[in-house]
Amino acid sequence: MSDYSHARSRMVDVQIASRGVRDKAVLAAMREVPREAFVEPGFEEFAYEDIPLPISEGQTISQPYIVAAMIALAEVEPGERVLEVGAGSGYAAAVLSRIAERVYAIERHPSLGEQARRRFDKLGYGNIELRVGDGTRGWPEAAPFDAILVAASGPDAPRALKEQLVIGGRLVIPVGSDERQQTLLKVTRTSETDYEEEDFGPVMFVPLIGEQGWSEDGRRSA
Ligand code: SAM
């Protein structure tokens, strides 16, 4: 396999650090995880361009900058337990696993989940647990989480995810009904019953499909 370490380091300097992501742990994790191992065969040479790339099941591996920006926004710290909804290729979960103590990742497509698991095994990332299913319900048996990141856009922040945050926990999720542009939302749990919401501008994600997301035909579920 080619050595992509120079391209990876350049990506972090040029596309991530210089665009405002300052969190040292995030930058170090992005320097460590080989994105070329998470793209489809034949796309390795594009792994360090700041673009989403196609993966199977009509999904995408997110753009590196947005992965870094979302993790920084979620303020993930060493020792924390994090949930990622929409594991896709497994790349963002892999980056999270280099910072957090334990990562729980959920993906709705079994074939993507299986591939991501194989990649974690191959890289020796033993602190990630992946489940196939509907992530809009969260992972009640493993909750509560210090941070939850959602890599697909829903109509709003799912109640189940908000309720699975510790007090002080952060949920970062794209929301909105326009498929070409959504808003990145950060929800912080401030007490047993209260949440604070902040809006971090326009983003573009694939839809979050599930019980507390969109239905397969694009309508709001339940
Ligand atoms: N984090 C991924 C990565 O690094 O490759 C990005 C994957 S893609 C932008 C979003 C993923 O969310 C897709 O793989 C899609 O199948 C998944 N997804 C959509 N709705 C979901 C749900 N309710 N539960 C779990 N995964 C879901």
Side-chain angles (χ1 to χ4, degrees), residues 184-203:
L184 192 61
L185 198 68
K186 177 176 177 179
V187 180
T188 304
R189 186 171 197 175
T190 52
S191 74
E192 201 55 51
T193 50
D194 297 313
Y195 299 89
E196 212 172 76
E197 287 194 2
E198 291 164 275
D199 176 337
F200 286 89
V203 284

Side-chain angles (χ1 to χ4, degrees), residues 8-19 31:
R8 189 176 316 127
S9 175
R10 197 179 137 73
M11 170 193 80
V12 174
D13 293 341
V14 175
Q15 298 161 11
I16 299 177
S18 68
R19 286 177 66 193
R31 280 187 212 284

Side-chain angles (χ1 to χ4, degrees), residues 197-213:
E197 287 194 2
E198 291 164 275
D199 176 337
F200 286 89
V203 284
M204 192 170 101
F205 277 84
V206 297
L208 178 69
I209 296 173
E211 194 179 87
Q212 293 183 40

Side-chain angles (χ1 to χ4, degrees), residues 118-192:
R118 277 205 297 272
R119 290 173 175 137
F120 302 149
D121 287 348
K122 202 164 164 191
L123 290 163
Y125 295 169
N127 61 340
I128 312 174
E129 218 172 305
L130 187 141
R131 156 190 282 196
V132 169
D134 176 9
T136 65
R137 298 188 210 156
W139 191 322
E141 307 89 313
F145 301 100
D146 298 292
I148 302 178
L149 285 89
V150 184
S153 69
D156 48 29
R159 186 180 35 79
L161 298 185
K162 289 165 68 174
E163 289 175 357
Q164 288 177 30
L165 288 172
V166 298
I167 294 173
R170 297 80 57 198
L171 164 65
V172 175
I173 178 172
V175 295
S177 52
D178 181 342
E179 67 182 34
R180 286 153 308 168
Q181 184 174 301
Q182 305 95 35
T183 297
L184 192 61
L185 198 68
K186 177 176 177 179
V187 180
T188 304
R189 186 171 197 175
T190 52
S191 74
E192 201 55 51

